[in-house]
Amino acid sequence: MATTQDVTGPASSWDPYARGCPSRDLLDRIGDKWTVLVLGELKHGACRFTQLRKRLSGVSEKMLTQTLRALERDGLVHRTVYPAVPVRVEYALTPLGQTLREPLKTLTDWSVQHIADVLAAREEYDAHAERVS
């Protein structure tokens, strides 16, 4: 992917608000629902694909595969293949992935603490929208 910025520049030169900035793509990845949930599950340690799929209610096999591949490509998850019959594959956070544990925990905690407020705001908005239309 071509970018408009020099990838060797200092971190302070990255601007996720600028089109073409790789940090925007990374922010999009980190903010994805399945990414947050996969990284949250992996904070407990290495996990097999089938375990992740069971723990992440509602994720399709295709979406979990895509998410894990993207996280591996970004250096956030490491995939280990064990030669066995059948082949055993485990996923674990890399040291870089570990650095996301705290920020994601903060976001997750916030969502749990404020869901009642958000649901009330949605109801109020929807009721107002019905009256206006």
Side-chain angles (χ1 to χ4, degrees):
M1 173 173 88
T3 65
T4 58
Q5 294 182 311
D6 175 15
V7 295
T8 61
S12 62
S13 69
W14 300 109
D15 181 4
Y17 295 95
R19 182 180 6 192
C21 182
S23 65
R24 179 186 281 193
D25 180 53
L26 181 58
L27 192 56
D28 185 46
R29 165 102 56 246
I30 294 168
D32 175 73
K33 168 177 69 173
W34 295 118
T35 294
V36 170
L37 296 174
V38 165
L39 293 176
E41 267 309 312
L42 291 178
K43 74 180 177 188
H44 304 295
C47 198
R48 294 179 68 175
F49 183 91
T50 53
Q51 293 172 308
L52 280 170
R53 183 133 185 256
K54 286 178 186 174
R55 292 178 185 168
L56 301 175
S57 178
V59 69
S60 69
E61 187 171 321
K62 179 182 177 182
M63 184 53 65
L64 183 55
T65 298
Q66 288 175 348
T67 301
L68 287 166
R69 283 183 183 158
L71 291 171
E72 185 179 9
R73 182 173 183 251
D74 288 343
L76 301 174
V77 167
H78 178 74
R79 179 178 184 259
T80 304
V81 180
Y82 296 95
V85 177
V87 173
R88 192 177 97 212
V89 179
E90 286 186 345
Y91 297 89
L93 293 178
T94 63
L96 181 61
Q98 292 282 349
T99 66
L100 279 170
R101 286 178 63 188
E102 196 57 39
L104 291 179
K105 181 182 180 325
T106 300
L107 271 174
T108 302
D109 290 349
W110 183 91
S111 71
V112 170
Q113 290 172 352
H114 296 282
I115 188 61
D117 298 325
V118 170
L119 292 174
R122 287 178 184 174
E123 283 185 32
E124 185 178 325
Y125 179 92
D126 292 346
H128 177 71
E130 282 181 17
R131 288 191 302 265
V132 172
S133 54

